[in-house]
C-alpha cells in the first residue's frame, strides 16, 4: 500500500519502517522480532506529522515516553489451508483494472470519502489480490485484500455492505482457497471482528498492539 502511494520504506533487523507518513489506516512501522528497541524504532518514522502509528507485532513495547498511546489490542489469527469454507452465495472475482478497483473501493468506503486510498498502482503488485464479491446484479457488496507470500495469505480490509464480516468471510475464504489451495490464511482482528473470524475457523495465535502518536506531554 505504501509503494502504491509513492512512500518509500525499509526493512531493518528489528522492524519495517517508512520515514514519511504512510497512507491512512496503515502503520508507519511494524516490529519483526520481540523486544525491539523503542527509541531506535521511533527514530525511523515521522512523528512530526499527526497520525503516526506503530504495529507492535508482539505486544511487548512501551512507547508512552515517545508520545504514543495504545489505540487497540488485537490477536493474530490463523486458519489452516485444508479447512473447508462454507458456501457464500456470492459470485466473486479479482479486481483486474482501474474501473473494477474503483467500484471495489467505493463499496469498501461506504461514502466516507476515503476511496482514493486504493490507487491503480496497487494492481501492479503481483502479491496483492483485491477480492470482490458480487450481488446477482453485479454490484460489489463484499470484499477483502489478499496478500500472498511463499508461506501464507494475509487478509485485510474485510467488509460486507450487509451482514458484516459474517457475510464476507465465506466468500473471502472460498476465493482464497480457490486461488491458493495450499496456503494457510492469516491476519489480525479485535473485538467483534475477532469473534467473527473465530466463528469462521480462525484460531487466535498471539497478541499484537497498535500504538498511535499523540505527542509529548
Amino acid at each position: 500500500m505504501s509503494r502504491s502511494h509513492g512512500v518509500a520504506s525499509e526493512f531493518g533487523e528489528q522492524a519495517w519502517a517508512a520515514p514519511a507518513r504512510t497512507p491512512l489506516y496503515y502503520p508507519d512501522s511494524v516490529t519483526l522480532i520481540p523486544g525491539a528497541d523503542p527509541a531506535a524504532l521511533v527514530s525511523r518514522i515521522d512523528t512530526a506529522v499527526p497520525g503516526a502509528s506503530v504495529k507492535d507485532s508482539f505486544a511487548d513495547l512501551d512507547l508512552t515516553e515517545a508520545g504514543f498511546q495504545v489505540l487497540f489490542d488485537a490477536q493474530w489469527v490463523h486458519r489452516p489451508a485444508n479447512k473447508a469454507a462454507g458456501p457464500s452465495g456470492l459470485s466473486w472475482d479479482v479486481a483486474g483494472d482501474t474501473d473494477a478497483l474503483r467500484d471495489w473501493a467505493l463499496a469498501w468506503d461506504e461514502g466516507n470519502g476515503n476511496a482514493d486510498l486504493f490507487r491503480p498502482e496497487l494492481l501492479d503488485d503481483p502479491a496483492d489480490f483485491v477480492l470482490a464479491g458480487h450481488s446477482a446484479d453485479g454490484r460489489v457488496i463484499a470484499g477483502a485484500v489478499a496478500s500472498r507470500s511463499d508461506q501464507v495469505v494475509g487478509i485485510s480490509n474485510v467488509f460486507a455492505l450487509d451482514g458484516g464480516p459474517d457475510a464476507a468471510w465465506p466468500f473471502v475464504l472460498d476465493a482464497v482457497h480457490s486461488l491458493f489451495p495450499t496456503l494457510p490464511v492469516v491476519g489480525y482482528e479485535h473485538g467483534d471482528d475477532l469473534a467473527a473470524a473465530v466463528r469462521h475457523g480462525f484460531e487466535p495465535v498471539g497478541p499484537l498492539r497498535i500504538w498511535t502518536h499523540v505527542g509529548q506531554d
Side-chain angles (χ1 to χ4, degrees):
M1 178 60 77
S2 292
R3 284 196 302 270
S4 73
H5 284 252
V7 177
S9 62
E10 183 180 21
F11 282 92
E13 292 184 1
Q14 298 188 348
W16 170 93
R21 283 303 329 284
T22 50
L24 182 69
Y25 304 132
Y26 287 81
D28 297 73
S29 183
V30 180
T31 59
L32 303 175
I33 60 169
D37 180 350
L41 183 152
V42 172
S43 72
R44 297 176 60 199
I45 64 177
D46 182 2
T47 57
V49 177
S53 63
V54 172
K55 183 189 288 186
D56 176 3
S57 300
F58 303 90
D60 65 352
L61 300 183
D62 184 353
L63 299 178
T64 53
E65 290 188 3
F68 287 79
Q69 68 180 17
V70 175
L71 184 62
F72 61 84
D73 287 292
Q75 283 281 326
W76 294 107
V77 293
H78 174 276
R79 193 178 193 276
N82 60 0
K83 197 161 191 172
S88 71
L90 297 180
S91 62
W92 64 269
D93 61 16
V94 177
D97 57 39
T98 55
D99 289 340
L101 178 62
R102 184 65 177 174
D103 289 343
W104 183 97
L106 289 169
W108 167 87
D109 183 58
E110 293 192 78
N112 290 317
N114 298 314
D116 289 340
L117 178 65
F118 294 90
R119 296 184 173 181
E121 289 82 357
L122 189 64
L123 299 174
D124 297 331
D125 190 332
D128 286 329
F129 300 78
V130 178
L131 308 176
H134 299 278
S135 64
D137 62 2
R139 293 179 300 114
V140 178
I141 59 172
V145 176
S147 300
R148 183 191 184 280
S149 73
D150 291 338
Q151 297 178 321
V152 298
V153 180
I155 299 295
S156 63
N157 301 99
V158 177
F159 75 91
L161 299 185
D162 205 12
D166 280 314
W169 274 122
F171 119 77
V172 172
L173 294 171
D174 178 44
V176 169
H177 184 71
S178 296
L179 294 168
F180 316 110
T182 64
L183 295 179
V185 186
V186 299
Y188 74 89
E189 302 289 354
H190 74 290
D192 291 343
D193 291 339
L194 174 59
V198 171
R199 285 195 293 273
H200 291 278
F202 286 89
E203 178 184 0
V205 292
L208 74 150
R209 180 170 293 143
I210 304 297
W211 296 83
T212 185
H213 190 255
V214 293
Q216 303 283 359
D217 294 333

